[in-house]
Amino acid sequence: MMNKTLIALALMSTCGYANAADIDNTWYIGAGAGQSNYESVDAASHLGDDSDLAWNALVGYQLNKYLAFEAGWQDLGTNDDTHMWGGLDGSQSIDVDGFTLGAVGTLPLNEKWFLTGEAGAYQYHLAHQMSANKYVSATDTAAYFGAGVGYNITDSLAISAKYRRFAGIDETAWNTANMDAQTVGLQLTYRFGVKPTTTTAVVLPAVIEKQTKPMPRPEPKPEPKYEIHTEKSSVAVLFGFDSSELTSAAKAKLDQVIQLSKSKEQDVILLNGQSDNQGDNQYNLKLSEKRVQHVEAYLVSHGVEVKKIDTQAVGEQDAHADTRKDRALERRVIVTLTSQEKVQVS
């Protein structure tokens, strides 16, 4: 006999933040600094490849956690003759700065680390001082792309190591300078309007009852038993006299085999090529091989779905007909599809 319930407990609790933030449709600002490298410099002056301090500032809009759009200012620094070996008077220099507009893709690795990739356009102003009395400048647009790895210090503040490459930084007014540039540095970004995402877990009430009789143990379920069922299907594809070309009737039969293979599992096809007993034995063997090859090529090119295709050619080995009608039936390739299926029996 069962006694009344002795103890009844009800517990309910909530969990804290899940350390994830909703950054969709948020604005952010950023700034960075690092080193620029001017490469492949071809200039009317004697300037060549050079390095300098680069910096940038930006404003961005985060569409979702994977995609953002940024606009900013990028200063690539100065390429001048005071950096060159020996040092000169600084009368020759190239300055590049301008606006950037691009898209940034983000791949979160976990709650803190992430990877970035970006691409866009750079509308730059290039000023080329070729001598103390000769100066030209031009405004043009170049493509840029970049990659980086970042770390979320807080939900709003992040730091990234960035690489950017700018292709085709040219002075186009007088064609006095052609070069590429790249930057490597660190960038800080601050995001506005970030809302932490909270997750609430509820522990449902628990009731403990005391009983006078032990609860019976459920009987274990029997393990299911399986058997492997093997099924074979065969079709004869006929050929014309002294021919290995597939007829329309032969292709129709092979199309049926292809459809059947797509509904079966663990299946294998055997192609057995034969010929009649007319003519030379070696010639007939070669002819049966060609028939097998044509059948196999048709099945493969039309999407047959099997684990393996086995082939054999026997020529006139199994040919015994002595009438024209019966010999026509021996010019064939026998296609046998063997399928195995695991079936539960209990």
Side-chain angles (χ1 to χ4, degrees):
M1 180 176 180
M2 181 180 295
N3 293 336
K4 294 183 179 180
T5 300
L6 299 180
I7 303 174
L9 299 177
L11 300 175
M12 183 175 293
S13 65
T14 59
C15 297
Y17 291 113
N19 294 326
D22 183 6
I23 62 174
D24 291 359
N25 302 309
T26 56
W27 291 90
Y28 61 92
I29 58 174
Q35 177 177 292
S36 66
N37 294 291
Y38 290 105
E39 299 178 339
S40 304
V41 178
D42 181 12
S45 57
H46 62 248
L47 294 173
D49 294 1
D50 196 10
S51 300
D52 198 15
L53 174 67
W55 64 272
N56 73 301
L58 61 93
V59 59
Y61 181 75
Q62 192 78 40
L63 189 64
N64 53 54
K65 68 178 180 179
Y66 299 110
L67 180 64
F69 297 97
E70 288 184 357
W73 179 264
Q74 177 69 62
D75 190 320
L76 295 178
T78 302
N79 178 358
D80 59 35
D81 55 18
T82 59
H83 294 166
M84 299 181 62
W85 176 255
L88 296 175
D89 58 3
S91 61
Q92 296 187 7
S93 64
I94 298 176
D95 292 300
V96 181
D97 53 27
F99 293 98
T100 58
L101 180 63
V104 181
T106 302
L107 177 63
L109 300 178
N110 52 41
E111 294 175 356
K112 291 293 186 180
W113 291 95
F114 58 91
L115 299 177
T116 63
E118 58 187 290
Y122 180 39
Q123 186 179 54
Y124 62 89
H125 175 260
L126 185 151
H128 188 183
Q129 187 77 41
M130 293 180 286
S131 66
N133 300 317
K134 191 172 183 179
Y135 168 87
V136 296
S137 66
T139 300
D140 206 342
T141 302
Y144 76 90
F145 62 89
V149 58
Y151 180 80
N152 292 313
I153 302 173
T154 67
D155 287 341
S156 299
L157 185 65
I159 187 170
S160 303
K162 290 278 190 176
Y163 167 84
R164 293 187 178 96
R165 184 168 187 85
F166 303 82
I169 307 295
D170 305 329
E171 187 277 297
T172 55
W174 302 96
N175 196 26
T176 62
N178 301 283
M179 57 191 178
D180 297 329
Q182 63 179 0
T183 62
V184 179
L186 295 177
Q187 177 176 289
L188 277 172
T189 55
Y190 181 81
R191 192 175 305 279
F192 300 95
V194 177
K195 296 180 180 179
T197 300
T198 59
T199 302
T200 303
V202 178
V203 179
L204 298 177
V207 177
I208 304 175
E209 293 184 347
K210 185 176 180 180
Q211 301 175 349
T212 57
K213 294 183 179 180
M215 292 291 290
R217 293 183 179 180
E219 295 184 0
K221 295 182 179 180
E223 292 291 332
K225 295 182 180 180
Y226 297 92
E227 289 182 355
I228 302 298
H229 287 185
T230 302
E231 181 181 348
K232 286 188 177 183
S233 302
S234 295
V235 62
V237 178
L238 302 181
F239 292 82
F241 177 73
D242 194 24
S243 173
S244 61
E245 297 300 321
L246 291 171
T247 66
S248 58
K251 292 179 181 179
K253 288 187 177 182
L254 292 178
D255 290 339
Q256 294 176 2
V257 174
I258 293 170
Q259 291 301 319
L260 185 60
S261 72
K262 294 180 180 181
S263 64
K264 300 293 183 179
E265 296 181 357
Q266 305 294 326
D267 43 5
V268 175
I269 283 182
L270 172 63
L271 305 179
N272 180 274
Q274 301 176 6
S275 70
D276 60 23
N277 56 13
Q278 302 300 296
D280 180 70
N281 180 49
Q282 289 300 317
Y283 179 84
N284 287 337
L285 181 60
K286 294 292 185 182
L287 181 59
S288 64
E289 290 175 353
K290 291 181 181 179
R291 290 170 175 169
V292 168
Q293 292 169 0
H294 285 187
V295 171
E296 182 180 14
Y298 185 89
L299 291 174
V300 172
S301 65
H302 286 73
V304 71
E305 296 181 3
V306 292
K307 291 177 60 179
K308 184 173 61 172
I309 297 179
D310 293 326
T311 62
Q312 63 181 24
V314 299
E316 62 182 63
Q317 173 181 310
D318 298 327
H320 307 291
D322 54 6
T323 67
R324 178 180 297 179
K325 180 178 179 181
D326 291 341
R327 283 195 293 270
L329 299 177
E330 292 180 339
R331 303 167 193 145
R332 63 189 180 182
V333 171
I334 300 176
V335 182
T336 302
L337 175 65
T338 302
S339 303
Q340 289 186 338
E341 184 178 6
K342 189 177 181 180
V343 179
Q344 183 175 341
V345 294
S346 67

